[in-house]
Amino acid sequence: MTSTLDIKIEKTKKSKLSEFDINNVPFGKYFTDHMFVAEYANGKWEKAYIVPYGNVPMSYAMSSIHYGQTIFEGMKAYKDDKGGVALFRPLENWERMNKGAVRMAMPEIPEELFMNGLMELIRLDADWVPASESGSLYIRPFLFSTDEAIGVKISDTFKFAIIASPAGKYYSEPIKVLVETDFFRATRGGVGFVKAGGNYGRSLYPTKLAQQKGYQQILWLDSETNQYFEESGTMNVMFVIGDTVMTPAVSDTILDGITRKSVLALAREWGMKVEERKVSVEEVMTAHANGTLKEVFGVGTAATIAQIIGIGYNGKDYELPPVAERKFSNKIDQTLRDIRKGRIEDKFNWMVKVC
Ligand SMILES: Cc1ncc(COP(=O)(O)O)c(C=O)c1O
C-alpha cells in the first residue's frame, strides 16, 4: 500500500513548551505544540497535515462516539544521552493498528502515511521529549469514524491523527492486582486483540470496584473457563517460576504487546527458558505455595515493567517476593532503558532515529 500525500505543515505561532516542566508532568495530561491529521473520504486517504494541537471539529452525530468505530495505538519516543531522539519499534505499532483496522472495518493506513506523519510530527516537537531517566514522549496515533449519521453502519469517512504527550513514570510504586472472576475483558471471536476504544470502556467499572478494594489493577481471566490468566490493565503479564519465564500466548482475546515481544526476545537471547502458553491460576498459586514463584510483572509501553507485589484471589491476598530480589525483570527494565538511552548496542535494531 502506498501513499504519496504531501503533508502540509502549519507551525504554531507560540510554543507552550516553556509553560511546563516536561520532566515532571502527570501521565497523559499535557500535549505538544502540534498534531498530525489525515482524512479519509471517497475510498482513499485524501489529505494530510500538521497543525497546532487543538480540538476535533465534529458533529454530535459523529458515528464513532455512538458506535465505537475507533482504535488507537500507544508508542514512545526517547531522548538518548547525546540528545538524539528515537522511536521504539514504530512499525510494530503500524502493523498492529492495521490488523485492528481490518477487524473494525476501517481503512488501513499506508506505511508511508503513518511513518511520514509520525516522523515529521516528532521532529517538529522534538524539544518536548524529556531527557530524564524515566522520561519519554508518549505518542498516541488513533483512527476514528467521522460520518455524520445515526444508524449502525460502516462509516464512509475517517480521520487518522497523532498527538503526543510528555511522560514520566506511569506507576510510582509496585502494584497490587485483583484476579477478576465476575467480569471479563474480552471473549473469543471478539476484539480483545485490538486496541479498540470499547475494550477500555468496558474495563473501567470492574477496575473501579477493584480500586475501591485497594488494588491498582485487574488481572483478567479467560471468559470461557475462568482458569487462565490473560492480561492486566494496559499490560501483558509475565511470571518467573523456577528459571522459566512464562506468559499467556497471544490469542484473539489478548493484545499482542510490543513490550511483551521485546522482553521475550531478550530472555531468549540470554538463554532463559521461555514459555508462551496458557498459564493457569492454579499453577501460579501452587508455585507461590511451594516457593518457586519468583516474579510477577506487567509489561507495556506506558509502564515498561510494572512490578506486581500482591495478588488478590477469591477473597485472599497473596504477597509476592520483594522487588529487589527479582533478577530477571530488573535486568530487563535496565536493559530496555539502556537500549533507549543509547548506552548499549541496539542488537535487534529496535530504535528508529528521528533526529
Ligand atoms: C490491553 C493491553 N494489553 C497490553 C498492552 C501492552 O502492549 P504494548 O507493549 O504494545 O504497549 C497494552 C498497551 O498497549 C494494552 O492496552
Side-chain angles (χ1 to χ4, degrees):
M1 216 186 325
T2 56
S3 166
T4 49
L5 280 183
D6 280 338
I7 301 173
K8 294 204 172 58
I9 299 180
E10 178 198 332
K11 287 193 191 171
T12 183
K13 295 201 171 53
K14 189 177 178 311
S15 170
K16 298 171 295 185
L17 185 56
S18 61
E19 294 168 28
F20 306 105
D21 171 8
I22 54 164
N23 290 302
N24 190 15
V25 281
F27 185 86
K29 196 159 163 49
Y30 301 107
F31 297 91
T32 64
D33 284 326
H34 299 93
M35 59 185 187
F36 170 76
V37 183
E39 295 182 12
Y40 182 92
N42 303 309
K44 59 183 190 301
W45 289 100
E46 289 193 328
K47 277 188 206 163
Y49 45 91
I50 287 176
V51 286
Y53 176 82
N55 297 334
V56 183
M58 61 178 252
S59 153
Y60 280 88
M62 184 168 77
S63 55
S64 54
I65 57 174
H66 296 269
Y67 307 117
Q69 220 185 355
T70 166
I71 60 174
F72 65 94
E73 269 305 323
M75 62 201 298
K76 281 180 169 175
Y78 297 87
K79 194 162 269 176
D80 67 26
D81 287 344
K82 294 185 192 109
V85 170
L87 297 157
F88 186 73
R89 310 189 74 176
L91 284 169
E92 296 280 338
N93 294 91
W94 166 70
E95 272 180 30
R96 186 169 68 189
M97 190 157 203
N98 278 346
K99 280 187 194 143
V102 170
R103 175 62 180 82
M104 297 294 287
M106 303 167 94
E108 289 176 69
I109 298 156
E111 180 179 337
E112 300 93 294
L113 186 64
F114 187 96
M115 286 308 292
N116 294 349
L118 180 63
M119 296 297 257
E120 286 286 347
L121 178 71
I122 305 308
R123 214 169 277 139
L124 207 55
D125 284 344
D127 289 345
W128 287 81
V129 185
S132 62
E133 193 59 22
S134 50
S136 59
L137 185 69
Y138 184 83
I139 303 165
R140 167 54 55 85
F142 55 113
L143 172 64
F144 58 102
S145 66
T146 54
D147 274 9
E148 183 178 5
I150 298 292
V152 182
K153 70 175 222 3
I154 298 172
S155 184
D156 292 322
T157 60
F158 294 87
K159 276 194 169 134
F160 168 57
I162 308 178
I163 57 176
S165 172
K169 271 197 164 173
Y170 192 70
Y171 290 116
S172 52
E173 299 286 337
I175 59 171
K176 274 175 67 184
V177 298
L178 177 68
V179 178
E180 178 58 67
T181 49
D182 292 325
F183 298 101
F184 299 95
R185 195 192 84 90
T187 49
R188 201 154 64 92
V191 295
F193 69 103
V194 178
K195 283 183 79 77
N199 284 338
Y200 299 83
R202 69 185 274 178
S203 74
L204 296 176
Y205 176 67
T207 306
K208 179 178 89 169
L209 298 183
Q211 287 171 348
Q212 284 168 351
K213 293 181 195 152
Y215 303 94
Q216 282 76 40
Q217 264 306 340
I218 282 177
L219 193 42
W220 300 103
L221 297 181
D222 77 289
S223 68
E224 283 186 83
T225 69
N226 227 333
Q227 287 179 36
Y228 298 102
F229 289 116
E230 298 228 301
E231 48 185 325
S232 181
T234 57
M235 301 179 296
N236 295 104
V237 62
M238 296 199 176
F239 306 86
V240 179
I241 298 181
D243 59 1
T244 304
V245 183
M246 281 173 205
T247 190
V250 289
S251 68
D252 61 356
T253 60
I254 297 180
L255 194 84
D256 188 1
I258 297 159
T259 319
R260 176 188 179 282
K261 271 184 204 173
S262 311
V263 170
L264 297 182
L266 286 170
R268 289 189 171 109
E269 209 221 345
W270 296 341
M272 293 198 58
K273 263 168 59 191
V274 172
E275 292 181 6
E276 294 179 71
R277 59 167 172 81
K278 285 178 186 277
V279 181
S280 72
V281 182
E282 196 192 332
E283 79 175 289
V284 170
M285 290 307 170
T286 304
H288 180 264
N290 67 25
T292 53
L293 179 63
K294 306 283 183 223
E295 310 186 25
V296 182
F297 54 97
V299 300
T301 297
T304 304
I305 304 290
Q307 295 290 357
I308 296 175
I309 46 155
I311 296 184
Y313 179 56
N314 278 346
K316 263 187 84 177
D317 275 320
Y318 298 84
E319 201 181 315
L320 302 175
V323 172
E325 290 173 12
R326 301 179 176 198
K327 284 198 192 120
F328 175 68
S329 47
N330 285 328
K331 186 174 168 194
I332 285 282
D333 205 14
Q334 188 61 47
T335 305
L336 285 173
R337 201 185 339 260
D338 287 345
I339 292 173
R340 289 157 173 169
K341 288 275 172 197
R343 292 175 189 147
I344 58 173
E345 191 196 347
D346 173 19
K347 281 189 193 159
F348 296 95
N349 291 321
W350 283 337
M351 303 310 292
V352 173
K353 191 137 186 78
V354 178
C355 55

